[in-house]
Amino acid sequence: MAQVAAVYGHAVEATVLAESATIAVDRQVRIVTHGAAIPQLAQVSALKKWFALIEGGDPPPIEQAHRLLLEIAQRPARFGRWARLLGMVLFSVGFGISIQPTGQEVVVSALLGVLVGLIVDMSTRSPRFSAVAPLTASVGVAVLVLSASKYHLVHGGTIDLMIPVLFVFIPGDAITMAVVELSAGRVTAGGARLAQSLVALGVLAFGPVVAAAALGLSDSHVFDSGVAPTLGPYAGWVGWAVFLVGVMLVFGMAPGDLPWAMAVGLGTFAAQTLAVHAFGDVPGTYIAATLMTAACIVLGRGAGRPPRYVMFLGAFLLLTPGSHGLHGLESWIGGQQMQGIDDVASMVSLMAAIAFGVLTAAAITPLTGMRGIRRAED
């Protein structure tokens, strides 16, 4: 914003929070509010081209630049309603395979992904419903999974069957970015984002309690027994590839940007797998987050490549630890307090590792890279 303003001879200052920004242009102040949400990724790619046009040495008249910017902001979603629903199914199935690589997980994630996809679609059409959409999805998913478990239609791993389809509501990215903001001294933004994220996790964890009560079950039925993997050693690679295609459809990524996002995402998975094997969960995740962020900074500099944020998002979601927190809260509710405490502690450790990895990569790159990461945070 400051660079564009300078091109047209203006001075700008801005204070950005999670859901609002105060912008001063030549001492004229404007407050902009917007709910914290992931933007359409095709719009982000178009915005990079707009920046290149403005900063390319021969900027268009300011009226034309403004008109082009409005056209980007007003673009419809890159994919239609049914494509986004398919994306939710792929999103759920891909993440489910990473948690529980079994045929049961694939089938349940696909079926429940349709339900959650319809709920998400309804929430985009009705602002009032969006406030209760996470709880509605959590209760609905828990009722179906616990009923299936009660009548022996599924075996074990009930929490692992619930989490993948609720992933779209899990604020793992917001939790991690809250730690980034707090570490960078943005106390108000980071504190607000962290508090909101923890409440969101609590709402999702409350769903199985409501479901168990509705079915006449005790809280102990919200359990998690292990299930042996059945999909083979390459299931994780297939799962994350499917997940990244789901990211493209759900968040409106331009298809031409998918190969770059896929390369960074699967590269991050490979780095995490090797680093965790060599050094353990927390150091390995820190190394993977550092390499992921550095790769996005370097690759995003090219004029013909996607913006850093587009490559960053899928890989970042791959690393986010929010599912550990939801897993822990639900285990706690189900009577396994020690397992619950262990999972929540794991979430805290992993989100700190990811946050410090992002900050480390930003700190060791040139200033242009730091600006790119700050845009991604906001």
Side-chain angles (χ1 to χ4, degrees), residues 66-357:
H66 185 232
R67 185 173 65 254
L68 293 172
L69 187 61
L70 287 178
E71 289 176 1
I72 294 172
Q74 294 169 359
R75 285 184 182 182
R78 183 66 177 77
F79 298 104
R81 180 182 183 185
W82 298 111
R84 293 197 301 272
L85 181 61
L86 173 62
M88 279 297 307
V89 173
L90 297 178
F91 202 80
S92 303
V93 170
F95 187 67
I97 292 173
S98 74
I99 291 182
Q100 187 185 108
T102 64
Q104 171 182 271
E105 182 75 50
V106 172
V107 172
V108 172
S109 294
L111 294 175
L112 294 181
V114 174
L115 171 65
V116 175
L118 292 173
I119 292 173
V120 170
D121 180 69
M122 191 183 304
S123 70
T124 61
R125 299 170 183 271
S126 172
R128 289 187 177 182
F129 179 71
S130 64
V132 296
L135 181 59
T136 302
S138 180
V139 172
V141 166
V143 165
L144 293 174
V145 171
L146 292 178
S147 297
S149 177
K150 180 180 179 180
Y151 295 105
H152 307 292
L153 299 176
V154 297
H155 305 282
T158 53
I159 295 178
D160 287 343
L161 293 174
M162 298 179 201
I163 287 177
V165 294
L166 297 175
F167 184 81
V168 70
F169 295 112
I170 296 175
D173 53 341
I175 292 174
T176 306
M177 295 320 297
V179 177
V180 171
E181 289 171 327
L182 290 170
S183 300
R186 299 174 62 184
V187 178
T188 302
R193 198 189 298 268
L194 181 60
Q196 182 185 24
S197 301
L198 294 177
V199 170
L201 272 181
V203 168
L204 292 175
F206 187 62
V209 177
V210 176
L215 295 172
L217 303 174
S218 67
D219 290 347
S220 62
H221 284 85
V222 186
F223 64 92
D224 187 39
S225 57
V227 177
T230 60
L231 294 184
Y234 301 107
W237 293 95
V238 175
W240 286 123
V242 170
F243 174 84
L244 291 166
V245 175
V247 169
M248 178 188 73
L249 295 174
V250 172
F251 299 116
M253 182 190 300
D257 293 342
L258 179 61
W260 292 98
M262 189 75 71
V264 173
L266 295 182
T268 299
F269 175 61
Q272 185 186 35
T273 301
L274 293 174
V276 167
H277 180 73
F279 304 107
D281 283 348
V282 175
T285 300
Y286 168 76
I287 292 170
T290 304
L291 295 175
M292 170 196 72
T293 307
C296 291
I297 292 172
V298 173
L299 293 175
R301 291 176 182 153
R305 299 169 191 160
R308 294 158 185 163
Y309 183 70
V310 172
M311 294 183 285
F312 183 82
L313 179 64
F316 182 69
L317 292 176
L318 186 152
L319 288 177
T320 50
S323 58
H324 290 270
L326 182 57
H327 195 295
L329 291 174
E330 291 186 347
S331 295
W332 201 328
I333 290 169
Q336 299 184 18
Q337 284 83 4
M338 294 306 297
Q339 178 66 43
I341 292 172
D342 185 60
D343 285 333
V344 172
S346 175
M347 178 194 73
V348 173
S349 299
L350 291 176
M351 73 181 186
I354 297 169
F356 294 141

